[in-house]
Amino acid sequence: MKHKERTIRPANSGDLEKLLELYTHLHDGTVPAKENNLLDVWEEILCDRRQKILVIEEAGKLVSSCVLVIVPNLTHGQRPYALVENVVTRRDYRGQGCGSAVLEAAKNLAAECGCYKIMLMTGSKKESTLRFYEKAGYRKTDKTAFVQWL
């Protein structure tokens, strides 16, 4: 099956509806209502020079995405580090390299920003998901993650 042209790029102001629809593939949820708080948060994200939502677009549809946050740092020669969050690919596009491509784009952007490391956490215990992240270069044995929900 031949794929249409896919573009990897930062999300822009016109992507909100498509991004919210894509996020329904993350947690099997529904698209949130466009209330004032949602629009305020969207504007804040777009204005934050240290945060990028990277998307893969095909034929006007967002098929994969991840959030990359660059964190300033006083250690490691004052080099920043990067965090990846909300990695998602539409169910009908999984297994086609989209998730790997968007993670590679995030890694490249983190490197361009001088980051000394990039980290992500997943709540998934599925072996296929863990193998996916390991194949993308992430190691689960280097650090121990702790989460405290607020």
Side-chain angles (χ1 to χ4, degrees), residues 26 64-67 84-89 94 99-100 102-104 107 118-140:
L26 184 63
S64 191
S65 178
C66 76
V67 173
V84 171
E85 183 63 64
N86 294 334
V87 180
V88 59
T89 298
R94 291 180 184 165
S100 299
V102 79
L103 285 176
E104 183 71 17
K107 180 178 83 172
I118 186 170
M119 300 180 289
L120 69 76
M121 291 192 302
T122 181
S124 177
K125 306 296 185 214
K126 291 171 35 178
E127 274 303 313
S128 60
T129 301
L130 302 179
R131 280 193 309 271
F132 166 73
Y133 288 125
E134 287 177 320
K135 186 177 175 189
Y138 292 88
R139 295 190 303 256
K140 61 184 178 184

Side-chain angles (χ1 to χ4, degrees), residues 7 18 21 56-64 90 92-93:
T7 304
K18 292 186 269 186
E21 193 279 327
I56 296 182
E57 182 177 32
E58 178 180 300
K61 177 169 45 176
L62 299 187
V63 299
S64 191
R90 292 179 61 88
D92 51 335
Y93 281 79

Side-chain angles (χ1 to χ4, degrees), residues 2-15:
K2 186 176 179 186
H3 298 293
K4 298 176 182 175
E5 176 99 15
R6 290 183 180 154
T7 304
I8 301 176
R9 60 173 177 78
N12 61 52
S13 60
D15 288 328

Side-chain angles (χ1 to χ4, degrees), residues 34-86:
K34 278 193 185 175
E35 297 171 353
N36 286 342
N37 187 50
L38 181 120
L39 297 175
D40 291 345
V41 170
W42 178 239
E43 186 63 31
E44 185 178 349
I45 289 168
L46 291 174
C47 292
D48 186 347
R49 67 183 179 88
R50 292 192 173 106
Q51 181 174 183
K52 296 289 182 217
I53 300 177
L54 299 174
V55 298
I56 296 182
E57 182 177 32
E58 178 180 300
K61 177 169 45 176
L62 299 187
V63 299
S64 191
S65 178
C66 76
V67 173
L68 177 71
V69 179
I70 307 297
V71 181
N73 183 35
L74 293 173
T75 64
H76 293 273
Q78 294 73 57
R79 292 176 63 199
Y81 58 90
L83 303 171
V84 171
E85 183 63 64
N86 294 334

